[in-house]
Amino acid sequence: MSRRRSRPRPPRAAFIGAIVAVMVLAGSAWWGWRQAREAVAPADDPFGEQLQVAPEPDPYARVEVLNGAGEPGAARRAAEVLRRAGFDVVHFGNAPDFGVTRTRVIDRVGSGPRADSVAGWLGVDRTETEPDLQAHLDATIILGADWRDRFRLAGDSVGQGEGPDR
């Protein structure tokens, strides 16, 4: 009878130690991610207010984005960011007037929680109510001169680009 040679096996204690170390690292990474996601730090608004960013957008919120800042391409770029975040952007274009200083969120349903979700995500402290049931929208976002800061607070940076919104 011949004896089979077996490969030397690593010590069992080293193997178990490695598994425990991987589990501890994975658990601490998950815990850090969870804590960072739950505790969104407020940022300073140039107008002296504290802004709180909502952690999750409402994926059913139907919004339109209008460029009131007068910056070429602002509504298009903002719409791209909102879509990546999960909002249903159904229209973007120019507002009737440029020169808007602060970004506004208008509730088109009347006391709709989806408009509040949009406002919270952008760090806008309150929504205005102007119901328009024929528009089939939950909210209208009118971008002001502060729109880039709003989108940075919401967790995305907005790149430079050129071209009109329409």
Side-chain angles (χ1 to χ4, degrees):
M1 192 183 293
S2 69
R3 291 181 93 180
R4 286 200 314 190
R5 293 186 187 214
S6 63
R7 288 187 288 170
R9 293 177 42 184
R12 184 173 215 149
F15 181 71
I16 292 172
I19 289 178
V20 168
V22 168
M23 291 174 61
V24 167
L25 285 173
S28 65
W30 173 80
W31 184 258
W33 172 81
R34 183 172 173 247
Q35 295 292 26
R37 187 174 172 102
E38 288 177 1
V40 177
D44 288 326
D45 183 16
F47 299 98
E49 299 172 5
Q50 291 292 313
L51 302 177
Q52 185 69 34
V53 179
E56 293 292 326
D58 183 340
Y60 300 106
R62 293 174 46 95
V63 300
E64 74 174 335
V65 182
L66 301 179
N67 181 357
E71 182 180 328
R76 178 182 45 79
R77 290 192 309 272
E80 290 170 0
V81 172
L82 288 163
R83 285 180 178 142
R84 281 195 316 261
F87 290 105
D88 182 11
V89 179
V90 297
H91 175 259
F92 66 89
N94 291 321
D97 299 312
F98 292 140
V100 176
T101 57
R102 298 187 74 190
T103 298
R104 300 169 40 206
V105 176
I106 301 171
D107 181 353
R108 293 302 189 182
V109 177
S111 70
R114 292 187 175 144
D116 292 338
S117 171
V118 173
W121 193 82
L122 288 173
V124 174
D125 57 347
R126 65 186 158 273
T127 58
E128 302 169 29
T129 303
E130 294 178 20
D132 182 358
L133 300 178
Q134 305 232 346
H136 302 290
L137 296 170
D138 293 300
T140 297
I141 302 168
I142 300 179
L143 300 175
D146 65 343
W147 78 275
R148 287 180 180 273
D149 294 331
R150 300 279 179 194
F151 280 79
R152 281 190 198 100
L153 290 172
D156 207 348
S157 61
V158 183
Q160 300 288 339
E162 294 301 321
D165 286 327
R166 292 187 192 204

